[in-house]
């Protein structure tokens, strides 16, 4: 296999790269911004791609925000985008539950571990949801909870799915409640399984780390709906009528973004070095995925505008 092609500073290679694709899928954090700081030249780069007739789609594993909230964030950072062009892991999970799982009436509720973004996306797809940001679960477990979970009186018999995303308020009560639903046969899903959440030049607990205690206790593995899951690729393809050969995934993380593009048989993958992984990570023999292209940062594509 040819080594990844370095695009930074190579006008001819950049032009050829842009001409090769009609759709670019962008990872967000680490590519467009870091936290609330937009990288220099990013809005202009997206505008340039749009001016060249490219479709730009934003594919994020962040489950805590709804697409509406993401749109607000993109607009606030002057990145041109419409609601239809945002695809988040909570939305991906909601689409999977409503269009693929098709739960029977009477068993169609979701118990969510996560923030408001999960609840918003489930509700928008018409899926009843309990847990999530509900204050009722943001407290210590009591002796009555232990008894009520054990005998089932505290469980909603209509719950058919446990969906786990990143929850800044995760606690013993929520995890124990989820475990009891799983033990009663609920389908185990995760919005995404990122091990870590990069912030402030450090690493915090990612959504994948929130679901690990449940995996351990239940001895079950969730189906993850965020990158690199091909369930998410199928949903993106269905929604945007992608021609995979003419689509390129741009990301900063090999085990989510680049793997997503490689396993999805996309025409290309571009690794930008402005986020979590670096060149050394795909140079290793046991690299989880190797990109077709790499560049120092997204705005390096702009020099030929
Ligand atoms: N999950 C959460 C909660 C986040 O805040 C982020 C980044 O902000 C991510 C996942 C990773 O998002 P992305 O896929 O855009 O890098
Ligand atoms: Ca990222």
């Amino acid at each position: 296999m040819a080594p990844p092609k370095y695009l930074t500073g190579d006008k001819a290679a950049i032009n050829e790269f842009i001409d090769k694709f009609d759709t670019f899928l962008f990872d967000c954090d680490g590519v467009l911004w870091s936290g609330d700081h937009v990288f220099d030249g990013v809005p202009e780069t997206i505008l340039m791609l749009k001016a060249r007739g490219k479709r730009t789609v934003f594919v994020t594993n962040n489950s805590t925000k709804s697409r509406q909230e993401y749109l607000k964030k993109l607009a606030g950072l002057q990145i041109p985008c419409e609601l239809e062009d945002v695809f988040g892991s909570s939305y991906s999970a909601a689409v999977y539950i409503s269009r693929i799982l098709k739960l029977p009436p009477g068993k169609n509720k979701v118990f969510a571990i996560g923030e408001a973004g999960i609840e918003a996306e489930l509700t928008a797809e018409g899926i009843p949801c309990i847990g999530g940001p509900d204050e009722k679960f943001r407290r210590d477990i009591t002796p009555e909870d232990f008894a009520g979970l054990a005998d089932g009186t505290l469980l909603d018999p209509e719950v058919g799915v446990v969906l786990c995303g990143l929850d800044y308020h995760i606690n013993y009560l929520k995890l124990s409640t989820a475990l009891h639903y799983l033990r009663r046969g609920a389908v185990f899903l995760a919005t995404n399984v990122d091990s870590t959440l990069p912030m402030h030049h450090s690493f915090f607990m990612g959504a994948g780390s929130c679901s690990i205690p449940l995996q351990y206790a239940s001895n079950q593995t969730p189906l993850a709906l965020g990158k690199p899951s091909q369930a998410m690729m199928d949903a993106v393809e269905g929604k945007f009528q992608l021609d995979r050969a003419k689509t390129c995934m741009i990301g900063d993380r090999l085990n989510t973004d680049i793997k997503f593009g490689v396993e999805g048989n996309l025409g290309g993958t571009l690794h930008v070095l402005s986020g979590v992984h670096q060149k050394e990570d795909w140079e290793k023999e046991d690299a989880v995925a190797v990109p077709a292209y790499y560049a120092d940062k997204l705005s390096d594509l702009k020099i030929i505008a």
Side-chain angles (χ1 to χ4, degrees), residues 83-236:
L83 184 64
E84 288 304 299
D85 301 333
V86 182
F87 212 99
S89 59
S90 286
Y91 177 62
S92 178
V95 168
Y96 180 83
I97 292 167
S98 68
R99 306 195 197 161
I100 312 269
L101 271 190
K102 296 190 185 129
L103 297 165
K107 213 63 193 169
N108 64 346
K109 276 191 194 170
V110 173
F111 180 77
I113 291 184
E115 296 293 325
I118 288 197
E119 186 185 48
E121 295 296 8
L122 291 172
T123 306
E125 277 290 307
I127 303 162
C129 162
I130 60 172
D134 189 344
E135 290 293 337
K136 262 199 330 230
F137 291 92
R138 288 182 177 175
R139 60 175 176 80
D140 289 346
I141 196 163
T142 64
E144 293 72 34
D145 293 323
F146 279 110
L149 289 174
D151 68 16
T153 51
L154 279 181
L155 297 173
D156 185 331
E158 297 196 352
V159 167
V161 171
V162 167
L163 172 61
C164 188
L166 183 68
D167 190 328
Y168 299 119
H169 305 82
I170 195 160
N171 62 34
Y172 195 88
L173 173 62
K174 286 185 189 186
L175 288 167
S176 298
T177 306
L179 174 63
H180 280 78
Y181 284 123
L182 292 175
R183 288 174 60 87
R184 286 170 176 243
V187 177
F188 191 9
L189 302 178
T191 54
N192 60 305
V193 287
D194 297 33
S195 55
T196 54
L197 169 62
M199 271 199 320
H200 298 287
H201 306 290
S202 188
F203 291 97
F204 293 81
M205 303 288 284
S209 300
C210 290
S211 69
I212 288 289
L214 267 182
Q215 296 189 44
Y216 193 56
S218 68
N219 203 23
Q220 295 178 41
T221 308
L223 172 69
L225 280 316
K227 298 168 290 184
S229 165
Q230 292 305 307
M232 190 185 213
M233 184 64 85
D234 293 343
V236 172

Side-chain angles (χ1 to χ4, degrees), residues 27-29 60-64 70 166 168 192 194 197 227:
D27 165 60
C28 297
D29 197 67
T60 177
N61 268 3
N62 187 345
S63 64
T64 64
Y70 245 73
L166 183 68
Y168 299 119
N192 60 305
D194 297 33
L197 169 62
K227 298 168 290 184

